[in-house]
Amino acid sequence: MNRETMMVFMMRMGGLKSVLVGLPLHGQISVLANLLVLLIFVLSLIGKACRASACASGLFFFLGKDQRGHQSSPVADGEDDSPRKAVGGLSYKATLCCCIYVLLCQMAVAALECWDAQRQRWSALSRGVVMSQALQVVVWFIMSVVTWGLKRQGQAKLPFILRAWWTVSLALTLCAISLDIVKKHQTVYMLMNTACLPALAFLCFVAARGRTGIEIIGTRSDLQEPLLDSSTYVEESYGCDHVTPYSGAGIISLATLSWLNPILAIGAKRPLELKDVPLLAPRDRAESSYNVLKDNWEKLKVQNPNEQPSLTRAIFMSFWREALKNGIFAGMNTVVSYVGPFLISYFVDYLSGKKLFHNEGYVLASVFFSAKLVEIVTTRQWYLGVDILGMHVRAALTALVYEKGMRLSSSARQSHTSGEIINYMAVDVQRIGDYSWYLHDIWMLPMQIILALAILFKNVGVAAFATLIATIVSILINTPLAKMQEEYQDNLMAAKDDRMKATSECLRNMRIMKLQAWEERYRLKLEDLRKTEFIWLRKALYAQAFVTFIFWGSPIFVSVVTFGTCILLGGQLTTGGVLSALATFRILQEPLRNFPDLVSMIAQTKVSLDRISGFLQEEELPSDATISIPKSLSEFAIEINDGDFSWEPSTEKLTLSGINLQVKRGMRVAVCGVVGSGKSSFLSCILGEIPKVSGQVKISGTTAYVSQSAWIQTGNIEENILFGGQMDKARYKNAIQACTLKKDLGLFSHGDQTIIGERGINLSGGQKQRVQLARALYQDADIYLLDDPFSAVDAHTGSELFKEYILGALAMKTVVFITHQVEFLPTADLILVLRDGRITQAGKYEDLLQAGTDFNTLVSAHHEAIEAMDVAEYIADEPDEDVKSSSVGAIKEDDSKPCEISNLPKQKADKASSSYKKKKEDKKAKRMRKKQLIQDEERERGNVSLQVYWSYMTAAYKGALVPLIILSQASFQALQIGSNWWMAWANPQTDGESARISSFVLLLVYMGLAFGSTIFVFIRALLVATFGLKASQKLFSNMLRCIFRAPMSFFDSTPTGRILSRVSIDQSVVDLDIPFRLGGFAATTIQLLGIIIVMSNVTWQVLVIFVPMAMACLWMQKYYMASSRELVRIVGIQKAPIIHHFGESIAGAATIRGFGQEQRFRKRILHFFDCYARPFFYSFAAIEWLCLRMELLSTFVFAFSMALLVSFPVGTIDPSMAGLAVTYGLTLNARQSRWILSLCKLENKIISIERIQQYSRIPSEAPLVVENFRPPPSWPFKGTVEIVNLQVRYKENLPKVLHGITCTFPGGKKIGIVGRTGSGKSTLIQALFRMVEPIDGEIIIDGIDISTIGLYDLRSRLGIIPQDPTLFEGTIRVNLDPLEEHSDSEIWEALDKCQLGDIVREKDQKLDSAVTENGENWSVGQRQLVSLGRALLKQARILVLDEATASVDTATDGVIQRTIRAEFGDCTVISIAHRIPTVIDSDLVLVLSDGKVAEFDTPVSLLEDKSSLFLKLVSEYSLRSTSVPEMVT
């Protein structure tokens, strides 16, 4: 150090001494500590520079770059050379935020000290204080940069200098606060120290830990590893292989939201797809949130097992850190939002010539600008944080509710329908997640009121207490309104739940509704439910209109009371004070308005929390229902000891009683019995599904379960068979072969990649059952539980399936199967005969035959049916070999359906055709490559069409209300500006000046203008509500009518979730959101124009910058909307799979549990939620991105305006008007961002109308009624059906299914229809009901061409008993007679005839006995009998039986057939059946082959023809009883 440098240093030290002398002791220590830290920092920079190179810069080191400008690697030498990435955890981010927060506080104090020093003419003491504070700012800036650099360096431990400085700072702050309290000093330093204390305490805590909270991970391999290892993302990643930049964004990127730039740039170039949306960060994924909440929920349950755990507490324990971080931003935002109102009075004084110090105007403008910047940044981080918090809560609760739904016990399941469980997820979980927006209002409202009162006390004195009283009165007025709104909302939600429950049921059962001509009845029922919902919707919207009036009237009421009190108490109002008060009232308006919403939201959230908490504590399937025994410890695969079971444990009636069973490994056990004997319940007790009253169930090995009602997932056939397992081609091929699926797959254009529709809609019953069997076989389980798998297949397929599957593939497995086919029983090692829930007989086939009783009855019924066919003489002469060989490929069940259009049969290739024709058809098939049945959901792309807006605005009163709404809002805004201008002009500008008018006139005019404005806003709210009600009802009615009139092919190819999302979510948006969005956009537009007019009236120069700023805003809005619009559309599409998977899983819970697949399905729902959350996260983040930039631009306009005002000479402009301009300018950024936001959200929400209109343009079926061609009331007279050259195809460009069928069914005759797979049997029936329209030919019934009459007139005159029995939730009475056309005696008579009378009489409620969702509390056979009862009541002249008795035993089948012959003796009965006895006694038999009539004659004539296809089928069925035993030998 040279001599000159030493002298300068000594002079500086002398100056430092003079500075220290004027400071208190702790201030002197603080200065010395700051200097010491600064010295250490400079020395460290010099040391680093020397060690690096002569030209290296220490700054580059702290920025994480080497001397070449490249980013340095945080990995030490000698470690892995693979790239590494530092990820800052929550602790690190909180530390950095605290440093920046303290720095901002120090900067604020430094600015105030400069201001104070200016007033004191920069005295020695003031200079010392300013220098001391500036030193603090410099040191904290350095500490912040060092903390930020820790992440760039990848340091896991905190440097000593940081730990020491944070500890010393906390000690000095505590010392300063203590001294100020003792000496009763109330300075800005005390305020600053108090504000910094929590942040310093946290930094001290971090210093004690010594860890930075930074983790080092691989940039690519580690980020991708969880995706590759997790089955959640393995299944479907939609081509996306990168994680959102948000996870590793720096502090600047987070503050400016620039991490969104890449995806917005893509969206600006082309429409976004889901694959363009990055994956969520691991911490933001549903599984992370779910695991945290589940752990805390289980922890609470364990801590207090005797008390009900609090779900609220579990959520708080899981997400309190996020809420705390978010609360910091909310608190900072609240404080800085009051800086503007506080300084307005000083600004007006300055413009009036009352200056406190030199350059005061520029200092004020700078403070205004700085406060606005802080407000903008904190607002955006606050809003983004609450959205993320809500997303986490929703994800965790969704998974928790889903997992609970999969474990519900049977009794709990009966009290919670699948619709209710879905509502917990769709409504209650959503509401709890939305509460994150109101989370901080509880403590922010008192804080805002206190700050407002402090500002008012400065301006109006003790009149501020009148403000407090008026505020409390406003809150009290709002409270009953909030309760009223809450009541309306609750009733509205309940009415919506009822409508959605009924809608879901109608969509599930649309096929039977159309076949029975019930769709109009049920549509009217839905419209009645909608009317009830509409009543509450109208009350809610009009109540909201009144709340809007209160919202705008409250600040006016408060201001009138405040100003009136001030005048009465003799106080003097000034322009500055009035404008400051008005700005404060405007800020206070929002929390006052939000208070009733807060109370309502708390109440609604509590209700939802209680509902979900109660659901989560429902009874689960007991873990000890079955006892798992290792294979090495037991020779038995299944063992039941003294088992008593009941589906209703609370009652004394047992479903199964006295069950004792031991099944050795490898045994084949058959279970048989009459309908309702408890066969399916027996399998349920082995699975642990039915509540156990007493006894033990031991299972040794893994299980696979095949249910009687096939449960098929939406997806392709391969996925259904693999069921989450890895592909083993050999095992997969064996499963296909054993289940005789190979030929079926050949019928599909996409083979095993064919997409199966919802609930297997495009598969026949037999195909669904065989896919289930293949799924079970592929799992390679130890124990197979099969619930009547052969009832849905015909004789040949059943025999082949039994041989290949039961006797072949499962030869070494333990198999328990239920069957009504007596011919399969001889192969069983053990036969169980059930009756009334008890095993009445057990043993081998021959032993049971000799014992007689129940088993003998079943076998005798079967033999009687065979003997009744009386065909022995026709087949006796046929060689056995020929019969067997011909039967292999002869007649199979009609269970192959097209994968493209509907559940009707798909035509096979014609084997008899020439090779030339076959090649020609193959080429044609390739040219016309068929699409899959289930396509990706349709969505529009690009801008929302103006036609959508126009159609909505003209939906109500042809748009007449729209100009009235705009006129009302314009009048409101004009009166608002007039009232504020009046108060600014009429009051004196400074203290001591005389008022221009009397106080009475002042208040009277102000009240007239202000309250007059609220009347117009009330009118606008009423008009908006009226407009919204009319438009929403019209849109709903059109959509519902179009859906119910849609052809069946629409429902076959459209998952229910897509329709439900439109009639629930989108309709709710139209009901409650879009009207107010539209009105709000109009209001915000007019308000923004008003602000610009006021500001330009004072400083017209602001227009120079406003015009380009407005153009920039519009450009950014267009740039943002290109991405946002598509993101919202993707969100709408990705919501449906969650609901669909939720409902699908609940419906198949027993099967999922039977395979032990609960974990995989839970991960799948988490995956679906993440697919939804990805675009949702980017959607709301993009809104904040846009608002941040909009508000920054408007803030610069405001700053420009302020600079102009303070640069004008005193007296150039009216201070009152300038103050008014500043008052409005304070809200410019908020209004402008709200205008853009309103426009964007309106366009995002209008997409719901776009989606509804998509389903309002569905091509319709033929008219229900053709007035000019209505058949006579007694039609059909005889039931004669003439089919002339009938040709049918399912869709344009697809091959024909029926090729010119011509035949006549005489009236009153019994017609049996048989044919090979894909021959067109079901197509013919569907054409008879006009479920599919012919392309040529005609069907004539009793002289009337059915194509000339309405669908209702046709279908209501025909009767049908479908293969899949359908029951509606309600009662037995409603299911038998939904149209209420029959008396109780007629219903009882029908029940007796269909063998259900005694069963219903045993129930307490008789005809009002409950039928649960999907009829699950009735067996499949009983449901089939109910369908028969409907037909008996309807007494149609033409009755169609489509496998009507497939699910009942042979004895019951015989009784039903006798009943049909007796009750429909003079009717035309058309039967499709796999059981030959059902069709053998028909008057005529129609044999179809490849869509053509192969044979049509009497059974006797066909049996006499040795080449007859019908003879081969009969031979096959009659010989099956003997062929099955031969398989064993």
Side-chain angles (χ1 to χ4, degrees), residues 888-1125:
V888 171
I891 314 298
K892 302 187 191 117
E893 88 280 17
D894 181 21
D895 63 356
S896 180
K897 301 189 178 181
C899 61
E900 291 81 12
I901 306 300
S902 68
N903 68 334
L904 308 180
K906 180 182 180 296
Q907 184 181 13
K908 283 179 62 178
D910 189 356
K911 294 182 180 178
S913 62
S914 66
S915 60
Y916 171 77
K917 183 178 178 181
K918 188 176 189 302
K919 289 180 181 178
K920 188 175 180 181
E921 288 181 354
D922 288 344
K923 290 180 180 179
K924 187 176 179 181
K926 289 181 180 178
R927 288 196 306 268
M928 299 184 303
R929 184 65 175 173
K930 302 174 183 67
K931 295 182 179 180
Q932 295 279 16
L933 171 63
I934 306 298
Q935 297 292 313
D936 291 338
E937 185 171 355
E938 175 189 0
R939 74 176 172 101
E940 305 290 340
R941 283 173 169 79
N943 293 329
V944 176
S945 171
L946 291 177
Q947 179 62 33
V948 177
Y949 290 94
W950 180 253
S951 64
Y952 178 71
M953 288 191 290
T954 56
Y957 307 105
K958 298 183 179 181
L961 296 183
V962 174
L964 295 179
I965 292 172
I966 295 174
L967 180 61
S968 299
Q969 179 61 35
S971 301
F972 159 76
Q973 187 65 26
L975 291 175
Q976 277 274 298
I977 294 173
S979 63
N980 292 333
W981 174 85
W982 172 257
M983 292 299 288
W985 175 83
N987 283 293
Q989 294 178 4
T990 57
D991 292 334
E993 289 187 16
S994 58
R996 299 185 181 183
I997 54 173
S998 66
S999 301
F1000 177 76
V1001 175
L1002 173 72
L1003 275 181
L1004 188 63
V1005 173
Y1006 176 69
M1007 289 173 61
L1009 292 172
F1011 284 114
S1013 67
T1014 60
I1015 293 174
F1016 278 104
V1017 83
F1018 182 53
I1019 293 172
R1020 188 212 76 189
L1022 285 176
L1023 291 173
V1024 168
T1026 304
F1027 168 83
L1029 287 168
K1030 182 72 174 179
S1032 67
Q1033 189 67 359
K1034 184 175 180 179
L1035 288 170
F1036 175 81
S1037 298
N1038 289 341
M1039 176 175 62
L1040 186 67
R1041 192 175 298 110
C1042 284
I1043 289 174
F1044 270 70
R1045 295 290 300 118
M1048 202 60 222
S1049 58
F1050 168 77
F1051 298 97
D1052 292 342
S1053 60
T1054 306
T1056 304
R1058 293 184 189 174
I1059 305 175
L1060 289 177
S1061 68
R1062 282 168 171 81
V1063 298
S1064 60
I1065 298 172
D1066 291 315
Q1067 187 61 44
S1068 291
V1069 171
V1070 174
D1071 286 343
L1072 299 168
D1073 212 345
I1074 290 182
F1076 294 104
R1077 292 284 179 197
L1078 197 60
F1081 173 69
T1084 309
T1085 302
I1086 294 172
Q1087 288 175 347
L1088 184 61
L1089 290 175
I1091 292 173
I1092 297 303
I1093 291 171
V1094 171
M1095 292 182 66
S1096 59
N1097 185 49
V1098 177
T1099 54
W1100 61 265
Q1101 295 87 347
V1102 78
L1103 293 176
V1104 175
I1105 191 173
F1106 177 77
V1107 172
M1109 185 272 297
M1111 295 174 64
C1113 286
L1114 290 174
W1115 178 86
M1116 276 194 289
Q1117 184 267 341
K1118 184 178 179 181
Y1119 180 81
Y1120 154 82
M1121 278 307 302
S1123 299
S1124 176
R1125 185 191 309 113

Side-chain angles (χ1 to χ4, degrees), residues 448-467:
Q448 289 170 316
I449 292 176
I450 290 172
L451 290 173
L453 290 176
I455 295 173
L456 290 172
F457 185 78
K458 180 180 78 72
N459 291 304
V460 298
V462 293
F465 293 104
T467 304

Side-chain angles (χ1 to χ4, degrees), residues 160-172:
F160 175 76
I161 186 173
L162 284 178
R163 300 171 68 182
W165 173 246
W166 290 342
T167 306
V168 170
S169 295
L170 178 64
L172 290 174

Side-chain angles (χ1 to χ4, degrees), residues 277-428:
V277 183
L279 302 174
L280 294 174
R283 66 175 181 272
D284 291 326
R285 291 177 192 162
E287 188 160 12
S288 300
S289 303
Y290 162 73
N291 288 334
V292 173
L293 181 59
K294 183 183 178 183
D295 290 344
N296 286 312
W297 176 250
E298 296 297 332
K299 189 184 300 182
L300 290 177
K301 289 167 67 176
V302 172
Q303 286 177 355
N304 300 295
N306 297 325
E307 296 182 9
Q308 181 175 337
S310 170
L311 182 60
T312 306
R313 186 181 175 191
I315 294 174
F316 174 78
M317 291 168 60
S318 303
F319 304 106
W320 68 269
R321 291 179 181 85
E322 291 181 60
L324 178 62
K325 183 180 79 170
N326 196 246
I328 293 173
F329 285 116
M332 291 174 62
N333 178 266
T334 301
V335 172
V336 297
S337 66
Y338 281 89
V339 171
F342 176 78
L343 294 179
I344 283 180
S345 59
Y346 293 102
F347 190 75
V348 173
D349 289 346
Y350 169 80
L351 294 178
S352 301
K354 191 178 178 182
K355 299 182 180 179
L356 298 177
F357 56 88
H358 187 61
N359 293 330
E360 179 188 2
Y362 292 105
V363 172
L364 284 172
S366 300
V367 174
F368 271 116
F369 178 67
S370 301
K372 274 296 171 187
L373 285 180
V374 175
E375 181 184 353
I376 290 168
V377 174
T378 54
T379 300
R380 304 282 65 92
Q381 295 300 318
W382 172 20
Y383 288 176
L384 182 65
V386 294
D387 277 323
I388 294 175
L389 176 60
M391 183 180 73
H392 289 168
V393 173
R394 280 190 289 270
L397 286 176
T398 296
L400 210 59
V401 170
Y402 177 85
E403 187 177 49
K404 183 68 179 185
M406 297 296 291
R407 298 203 309 256
L408 280 182
S409 67
S410 60
S411 57
R413 181 72 180 81
Q414 290 179 8
S415 59
H416 297 278
T417 66
S418 61
E420 289 174 344
I421 298 174
I422 291 174
N423 265 351
Y424 293 144
M425 180 272 296
V427 178
D428 294 294

Side-chain angles (χ1 to χ4, degrees), residues 482-483 485-486 489 595-605:
K483 290 182 178 179
Q485 276 191 300
E486 181 184 352
Q489 285 290 337
F595 180 76
D597 287 347
L598 173 63
V599 174
S600 175
M601 195 64 186
I602 290 175
Q604 292 181 40
T605 305

Side-chain angles (χ1 to χ4, degrees), residues 149-334:
L150 294 175
K151 181 180 175 183
R152 304 296 293 262
Q153 295 173 282
Q155 291 192 16
K157 293 184 178 180
L158 283 169
F160 175 76
I161 186 173
L162 284 178
R163 300 171 68 182
W165 173 246
W166 290 342
T167 306
V168 170
S169 295
L170 178 64
L172 290 174
T173 300
L174 290 172
C175 179
I177 292 174
S178 302
L179 289 174
D180 286 336
I181 292 174
V182 171
K183 295 182 179 181
K184 298 182 179 179
H185 288 167
Q186 296 181 358
T187 63
V188 68
Y189 283 103
M190 182 177 180
L191 180 63
M192 184 271 292
N193 287 330
T194 305
C196 292
L197 189 59
L200 290 173
F202 176 77
L203 291 175
C204 191
F205 169 74
V206 173
R209 288 181 59 199
R211 296 181 180 179
T212 60
I214 298 172
E215 296 181 2
I216 308 299
I217 62 174
T219 55
R220 289 196 62 82
S221 58
D222 287 343
L223 282 175
Q224 291 181 355
E225 194 172 16
L227 306 182
L228 299 175
D229 289 347
S230 172
S231 60
T232 301
Y233 278 79
V234 164
E235 296 182 27
E236 298 172 75
S237 64
Y238 295 94
C240 185
D241 59 353
H242 58 283
V243 179
T244 172
Y246 174 73
S247 59
I251 188 70
I252 303 299
S253 181
L254 289 173
T256 60
L257 302 176
S258 56
W259 54 269
L260 279 162
N261 291 346
I263 192 172
L264 295 177
I266 296 173
K269 296 175 183 177
R270 59 173 173 81
L272 288 175
E273 303 290 345
L274 182 60
K275 64 183 180 182
D276 298 319
V277 183
L279 302 174
L280 294 174
R283 66 175 181 272
D284 291 326
R285 291 177 192 162
E287 188 160 12
S288 300
S289 303
Y290 162 73
N291 288 334
V292 173
L293 181 59
K294 183 183 178 183
D295 290 344
N296 286 312
W297 176 250
E298 296 297 332
K299 189 184 300 182
L300 290 177
K301 289 167 67 176
V302 172
Q303 286 177 355
N304 300 295
N306 297 325
E307 296 182 9
Q308 181 175 337
S310 170
L311 182 60
T312 306
R313 186 181 175 191
I315 294 174
F316 174 78
M317 291 168 60
S318 303
F319 304 106
W320 68 269
R321 291 179 181 85
E322 291 181 60
L324 178 62
K325 183 180 79 170
N326 196 246
I328 293 173
F329 285 116
M332 291 174 62
N333 178 266
T334 301

